[in-house]
Amino acid sequence: MSPVASAPSRTTPPKFANAVEAEFARILDYYGIRWEYEPRSFVLSWDEEGRPKERFTPDFYLPDFDLYIELTTLKQRLVTRKNRKLRRLRALYPEVRIQLWYARDVRNLLRKYGIVS
């Protein structure tokens, strides 16, 4: 089994997990930046029989930059768990470029473009 699973192709607009992701997609669209929403899941661990036990699916992929972006607006204790997953992903897939954007990064971006005050 491949360690990287592709999400099924979408014929309808994605259902974002939260409003921040939808706003981020609008900013990308406004600037003509191509993006994909949760296009891949990366297996982070396997059970004794080799079946995937833990996966990580970054929120966005920007194909023109070959960059995954994970947005988080979570509480700090949950961010810690997300950071652990990113470290694991980077260890297993060093060729994958990924950035974690925290709530403050997203808020600053939304303020910069006048989406929130």
Side-chain angles (χ1 to χ4, degrees):
M1 171 178 271
S2 170
V4 179
S6 295
S9 64
R10 293 185 175 86
T11 56
T12 59
K15 290 187 177 185
F16 296 106
N18 56 58
V20 172
E21 290 179 357
E23 294 296 339
F24 186 71
R26 278 198 285 262
I27 291 171
L28 294 172
D29 286 342
Y30 180 81
Y31 285 97
I33 298 171
R34 294 185 313 133
W35 58 272
E36 299 172 21
Y37 184 68
E38 298 184 337
R40 288 181 146 178
S41 291
F42 297 88
V43 177
L44 300 181
S45 65
W46 297 262
D47 67 14
E48 302 79 31
E49 297 175 10
R51 293 178 300 223
K53 187 172 152 187
E54 181 181 29
R55 295 176 189 258
F56 182 72
T57 305
D59 296 322
F60 288 89
Y61 177 64
L62 309 181
D64 295 331
F65 301 94
D66 189 25
L67 175 68
Y68 289 90
I69 294 180
E70 176 67 15
L71 302 177
T72 185
T73 56
L74 301 174
K75 296 175 181 172
Q76 185 58 44
R77 68 180 176 81
L78 298 174
V79 171
T80 301
R81 192 171 76 189
K82 194 170 278 194
N83 272 320
R84 183 196 61 77
K85 286 185 170 186
L86 261 85
R87 282 193 302 275
R88 179 82 176 141
L89 184 147
R90 287 178 176 131
L92 292 171
Y93 310 97
E95 73 283 2
V96 172
R97 298 179 61 228
I98 185 166
Q99 293 181 357
L100 177 63
W101 288 29
Y102 295 94
R104 66 179 178 274
D105 301 323
V106 176
R107 279 193 303 269
N108 288 339
L109 187 66
L110 295 176
R111 277 191 203 108
K112 180 176 179 178
Y113 293 103
I115 294 170
V116 297
S117 54

